[in-house]
Amino acid sequence: MEHGLTDPLGTRPRRRVVVTGAGGQLGRALAEAFAGDDVVAFAHSDWDVTHPAPPLGESADLVLHAAAWTDVDAAEADPQGAAAVNVGGTRNAAAIGAPLVYFSTDYVFDGAKRAPYVESDGANPLSAYGRSKYHGEGAVGAAGWIVRSSWLFAAWGTNFLRTMLRLGRERDEVAVVDDQRGSPTYVGHLAEATRELVELPFGIWHLAAAGDCTWADFAEAIFEEAGIDARVRRIPSSELARAAPRPHYSVLRSEKPEAPRLPHWREGLREALSRLP
Ligand SMILES: NC(=O)c1ccc[n+]([C@@H]2O[C@H](COP(=O)([O-])OP(=O)(O)OC[C@H]3O[C@@H](n4cnc5c(N)ncnc54)[C@H](OP(=O)(O)O)[C@@H]3O)[C@@H](O)[C@H]2O)c1
């Protein structure tokens, strides 16, 4: 295989794996999933990716680039700031010179389709964040995997799961958007799938949880699984008046038969709940 990471006899020495954004929800899960390797984890305070990488000492075998500007609404007011991190930062991560995994998003699509988006579908981002992530894909270079995933959640960090757990405990009723459909993806499952992916050829790969739902469905499942007695009031996106438009439909599937398959989002939800602090 062209990137030389395959080792069918299990004789490979530990790889030197750089993780960027290691303090974020996915970065933390990646550092866990690759713990059998020699992980060099850079949180934001260790390396601001808008600057060139700090000296690494020895060379790296693999870069897992999870650092990103992820505030979708704030990117509308500062598209250059978002691009500096998501495009410029990716260029700097690629300049390390090792094969790189770039994590992209379902928000590169406009949501006009009503069947799952596959790798060969054309991108048409609706938001400044989506555009910055799409242009970031172009900064990866030839030696890289572009992983598009969606609606990430973890037992840590800032995400919909943790917001719903807080709101559901505070209120009798929580208003949640019911006109956006996607696949909520547990970072632990995505990190495990990334381990499988780096044995496969470079290119674009859609890796998201099996199953799909709306945010309102997801909120109901969260309350049900967590035993929270709150109602979900289903609302249209227009009621939230957020700065950035989101696709109404952004379910991702892979058209590649060898693509790693992730468990169902509800399984991911149960696993995240079991790991809450
Ligand atoms: N969250 C989702 O629903 C979702 C969906 C699809 C794809 N993705 C992609 O998946 C990847 C991981 O996302 P995530 O959910 O783990 O996001 P996250 O929790 O926000 O983590 C991103 C990390 O990047 C760091 N960061 C921001 N600016 C940086 C900079 N200039 N230099 C270095 N680090 C910087 C952040 O640090 P601070 O917190 O200190 O700023 C944070 O620790 C991103 O590429 C994201 O675009 C996310």
Side-chain angles (χ1 to χ4, degrees), residues 20-28 42-45 47-51 65-71 84-86 89 102-107 129 133 147-153 156-159 187 190 215 252:
T20 71
Q25 13 174 23
L26 177 60
R28 245 178 97 172
F42 289 111
H44 195 167
S45 53
W47 173 23
D48 179 333
V49 296
T50 60
H51 301 291
H65 181 44
W69 175 305
T70 55
D71 188 333
V85 182
N86 293 348
Y102 171 76
F103 293 92
S104 190
T105 168
D106 54 329
Y107 287 5
Y129 167 77
K133 292 297 296 183
V147 173
R148 296 198 186 122
S149 195
S150 61
W151 298 20
L152 299 189
F153 64 95
W156 48 75
T158 308
N159 57 60
V187 291
L190 178 57
W215 288 112
L252 302 175

Side-chain angles (χ1 to χ4, degrees), residues 12-83:
R12 174 178 59 209
R14 285 156 68 93
R15 295 170 292 198
R16 194 139 193 272
V17 179
V18 171
V19 178
T20 71
Q25 13 174 23
L26 177 60
R28 245 178 97 172
L30 288 168
E32 267 185 22
F34 284 78
D37 290 295
D38 178 10
V39 172
V40 184
F42 289 111
H44 195 167
S45 53
D46 305 317
W47 173 23
D48 179 333
V49 296
T50 60
H51 301 291
L56 289 174
E58 297 159 54
S59 64
D61 300 307
L62 178 65
V63 178
L64 305 175
H65 181 44
W69 175 305
T70 55
D71 188 333
V72 176
D73 290 310
E76 293 299 310
D78 187 6
Q80 284 92 351

